Amino acid sequence: GAGVSQSPRYKVAKRGQDVALRCDPISGHVSLFWYQQALGQGPEFLTYFQNEAQLDKSGLPSDRFFAERPEGSVSTLKIQRTQQEDSAVYLCASSLYQREQETQYFGPGTRLLVL
Amino acid sequence: AQKITQTQPGMFVQEKEAVTLDCTYDTSDQSYGLFWYKQPSSGEMIFLIYQGSYDEQNATEGRYSLNFQKARKSANLVISASQLGDSAMYFCAMKTGGFKTIFGAGTRLFVKA
């Protein structure tokens, strides 16, 4: 079946531009996660959705970052007024539920480069 | 504070040999889950294996096994019979009662022919 998809795969933005990154989770998955992965680092948690409810946004680095999942399926991560330090790979993951042992299925990521 | 430590930035292994990737963790929670993911150069994170804190036996999935030593707070990944396709980044991760999964910095594995 279809896995998690993300678009665009690559995005180049000029400093100060707004960007929107899309995630299509696996159909029926309740949980959706966004991570930021800097070069040479492990992923860092940004935010978590259970259906359409954003239950944890403690990892969002600033108020320039905003995420939504209005209908409980597709999610968008928006970064306003991008800065060079926002350059990273943004990974989306989904899981069927939110149990401790639940496997997260990751998308291929969006590589963002801010010039 | 919750933390995952992977002390091996890079590892080399000969094809068909076994290799152990180290992972130590820190948490005050009694209930937690430990995961290993593989990230090839394509960038997608691939789930390999899971170990629950209350599981009494070490997890195994095909050529992957997890050497879980709870008292030492370690969860090392063992890959048996390495293959060239195993060359990738490997991340250890931990999930406790909240929504976050915490990842280590990763170990890059190189399999030599």
Side-chain angles (χ1 to χ4, degrees), chain B residues 1 4 6 10 27 31-33 35 39 45 49 72 75 79-81 92:
Chain B
I4 294 283
Q6 294 181 254
T27 181
S31 178
Y32 50 89
F35 300 80
Q39 188 176 44
M45 300 281 281
I49 197 166
R72 298 178 62 183
I79 305 174
S80 62
C92 179

Side-chain angles (χ1 to χ4, degrees), chain A residues 25-73:
Chain A
I26 293 173
S27 178
H29 277 197
V30 167
S31 296
L32 186 144
F33 305 81
W34 282 99
Y35 295 89
Q36 180 189 60
Q37 187 175 20
L39 191 63
Q41 304 287 325
E44 291 204 8
F45 171 85
L46 292 177
T47 188
Y48 166 71
F49 288 88
Q50 185 172 297
N51 295 309
E52 68 279 1
Q54 188 175 21
L55 299 186
D56 189 338
K57 54 181 181 180
S58 63
L60 296 176
S62 77
D63 58 7
R64 296 186 295 104
F65 287 72
F66 172 76
E68 60 183 6
R69 193 186 184 197
E71 296 178 0
S73 56

Side-chain angles (χ1 to χ4, degrees), chain A residues 33 37 58 98 100-101 104, chain B residues 31 39 50 95 98 100-101:
Chain A
F33 305 81
Q37 187 175 20
S58 63
Q98 166 44 26
E100 188 179 270
Q101 68 271 35
Q104 293 180 38
Chain B
S31 178
Q39 188 176 44
Y50 166 82
K95 193 165 186 286
K100 290 183 182 181
T101 298

Side-chain angles (χ1 to χ4, degrees), chain B residues 37-105:
Chain B
Y37 286 88
K38 172 184 179 181
Q39 188 176 44
S41 55
S42 60
E44 195 160 339
M45 300 281 281
I46 301 167
F47 166 75
L48 296 178
I49 197 166
Y50 166 82
Q51 178 85 42
S53 58
Y54 293 116
D55 294 342
E56 294 187 352
Q57 292 195 332
N58 287 342
T60 61
E61 290 283 351
R63 294 187 298 111
Y64 304 107
S65 60
L66 199 151
N67 184 1
F68 181 46
Q69 297 187 44
K70 195 169 182 177
R72 298 178 62 183
K73 293 191 173 180
S74 75
N76 298 340
L77 177 70
V78 181
I79 305 174
S80 62
S82 297
Q83 302 171 356
L84 294 178
D86 293 336
S87 293
M89 282 290 288
Y90 289 81
F91 292 96
C92 179
M94 176 173 66
K95 193 165 186 286
T96 58
F99 305 115
K100 290 183 182 181
T101 298
I102 298 168
F103 288 80

